[in-house]
Structure formats: C-alpha cells, structure tokens
Amino acid sequence: MRRVQQEPAYVLHRRPWRETSFIVDLFTLNHGRVSVIARGASGSKSPLKAQLQPFQPLLLGWTGRGDLKTLTEVDVREGPVLHYTASLYSGLYLNELMQRVLPQADPHPTLFAAYIETLAELAQASDVEPVLRRFEQAFAAALGYDFCWDKAMDTGDRVIAGQTYCYDPEQGIVAAASVGVRLQNLPGETLLALAEGDLQTPASRRVSKRVMRVLTDYLLQGRPLNSRSLFAHHCVRSPQERTT
C-alpha cells in the first residue's frame, strides 16, 4: 500500500460519504488532483470538518493505490482569507474549473504555484477580473492550450493594429476564419494591448473575457459550472465585476 506524507494540498470540493465521512477532491503539488476518503470527518467530535475547507493551505497524508485514497493526516497552515463575496465566489469558480477539467494524478507544479498566488491576490483584490483572467491563462498553459495574443498562428505573422482576427481554442489567435474558429472580429490593437498585459481597459477586458470563456467552455466539453450560477444569483455586481 502506497503512503504519502506531508503533501502540500488544497481542497477543491468535498461531499458526504456514508454516514460520517467525506470524499474530498484535492489539488496537490506533487500528485495533481487526488480524491481521498476522510473517515469520520463529519462526526461531531472530529476536527476534520473544520480543517478540510477550500482555500486552506494543508499538508496531508494518505494511503492507497487506487483512484480513491484514505486520508491519514492533516496539518493546517496559515493562508489568506477570502473575505469579499466576489473573491469567495471567484475562488469557488477556480476550484470547480480544476475539479472538472484536471485529470487525476497529473501533477502541475507551475499551476499549483499560480493557484497559491491567485488566492493571495483574491484576498486583497477589490477588482477580481484581472486576477481571474491571469489564472485562466495559467490554467490553459498547464493543459497545453497556451497561446500568444500578438501572433496569428495560421500565418505565423505578428498581429497588426487596425486588422481583425479570430480565435480557435486548438490554435489560438488566427488571421482567417476556419472550421474551428469560435470568435471573430477581434481587434488587432486590443490583442496587442493584451500581449502587453493590459487587463484594465474596457476593450481588453471584453476581449479577454470572451476568449477565455470560449477556451474554458472548450476544456469543459459541455460540463456546466455551478459557480457561474452562484455569481449570477449571489453577487451584486457592476458591469466590470461580471467576471466569469
């Protein structure tokens, strides 16, 4: 039986299992997405219910060789707290996206670092949209869907201001519409601004959100995200806060 100890991890989701236990989906540094059984975690005397919370840095241990491991140890570490409603629901969106898309047992240490940085930013941010867009790009890159905002992949040419472009999730930015194209009429000047890291102007926010929404929907392959509904029903948002 394989034993893992002191593994850095975050809870993505948990659900009841039998009468007093949880099945917990984790995002870990060295093992990727892992599912464990937390036996007795929902019992009145167990500290695990309070410890196994989203966004809480943890060092965990487990045993087992199958897809479902058995949790054996939990060490809670200090981390940022998502006080703001928009930050909290942004974090839930990130967790659900990773839970639904990341394959089991596929490590992504660079994405793990990006997730830690994103939680720290969300804990402080009054404007969560740029934070989410940066994480979505890191997420896409981890899965092999990274692209350059300022390069048309079908021609190899640099994007030119004054011209319009398309987006294909399998290729990236392209100059001409084809079968896989999901977005058209993307302004070249806005793509160049995004290549420079501009996520503040209305045009850049609009284009980046459209592109990343198409890409995440492509990666989800039709699976819905409940966190998007949470944003719609529980967050009082200005137009600039409509982030996911």
Side-chain angles (χ1 to χ4, degrees):
M1 180 177 293
R2 185 178 180 183
R3 179 180 294 274
V4 173
Q5 295 178 299
Q6 294 291 291
E7 173 66 12
Y10 287 85
V11 172
L12 297 180
H13 182 261
R14 74 182 192 191
R15 55 194 182 276
W17 187 73
R18 296 185 176 174
E19 293 184 0
T20 61
S21 302
F22 291 128
I23 291 178
V24 187
D25 292 324
L26 305 168
F27 181 40
T28 73
L29 174 60
N30 298 298
H31 301 270
R33 188 169 65 83
V34 175
S35 295
V36 300
I37 298 173
R39 298 187 185 278
S42 63
S44 59
K45 296 183 179 181
S46 174
L48 292 177
K49 187 173 184 178
Q51 293 172 336
L52 296 173
Q53 296 287 344
F55 322 126
Q56 176 66 60
L58 302 168
L59 292 176
L60 302 180
W62 62 78
T63 60
R65 291 186 177 275
D67 290 339
L68 192 57
K69 325 293 185 185
T70 299
L71 187 69
T72 57
E73 60 179 286
V74 177
D75 184 3
V76 178
R77 297 303 176 98
E78 291 187 5
V81 179
L82 306 187
H83 291 292
Y84 303 113
T85 301
S87 296
L88 175 61
Y89 285 106
S90 295
L92 293 175
Y93 162 69
L94 302 183
N95 282 7
E96 189 177 17
L97 182 64
M98 291 193 293
Q99 182 202 14
R100 293 191 184 275
V101 176
L102 288 179
Q104 284 268 8
D106 186 11
H108 291 285
T110 302
L111 182 63
F112 191 87
Y115 181 71
I116 293 174
E117 181 179 352
T118 300
L119 292 183
E121 291 179 349
L122 286 175
Q124 302 295 327
S126 58
D127 180 7
V128 300
E129 184 167 357
V131 181
L132 291 181
R133 296 295 88 83
R134 286 191 291 269
F135 181 83
E136 287 167 340
Q137 288 186 251
F139 182 72
L143 294 173
Y145 288 89
D146 198 11
F147 64 93
C148 297
W149 291 101
D150 58 353
K151 183 177 181 180
M153 298 306 296
D154 55 341
T155 63
D157 296 332
R158 179 175 168 80
V159 166
I160 300 173
Q163 296 188 12
T164 59
Y165 294 84
C166 307
Y167 175 70
D168 172 7
E170 293 189 355
Q171 297 184 75
I173 303 300
V174 292
S178 61
V179 175
V181 161
R182 306 292 179 92
L183 289 176
Q184 299 185 37
N185 300 318
L186 303 176
E189 56 272 20
T190 304
L191 297 177
L192 291 172
L194 286 166
E196 295 296 323
D198 175 19
L199 286 167
Q200 297 302 325
T201 63
S204 294
R205 286 174 179 253
R206 182 168 56 252
V207 169
S208 63
K209 179 181 177 180
R210 291 178 66 201
V211 169
M212 300 315 297
R213 180 65 179 261
V214 166
L215 178 52
T216 53
D217 285 348
Y218 175 80
L219 294 173
L220 285 162
Q221 297 182 342
R223 290 165 290 190
L225 287 179
N226 296 325
S227 51
R228 286 176 176 165
S229 298
L230 289 176
F231 258 107
H233 289 92
H234 296 283
C235 291
V236 178
R237 300 168 295 165
S238 68
Q240 289 185 336
E241 291 177 310
R242 292 169 188 157
T243 56
T244 62

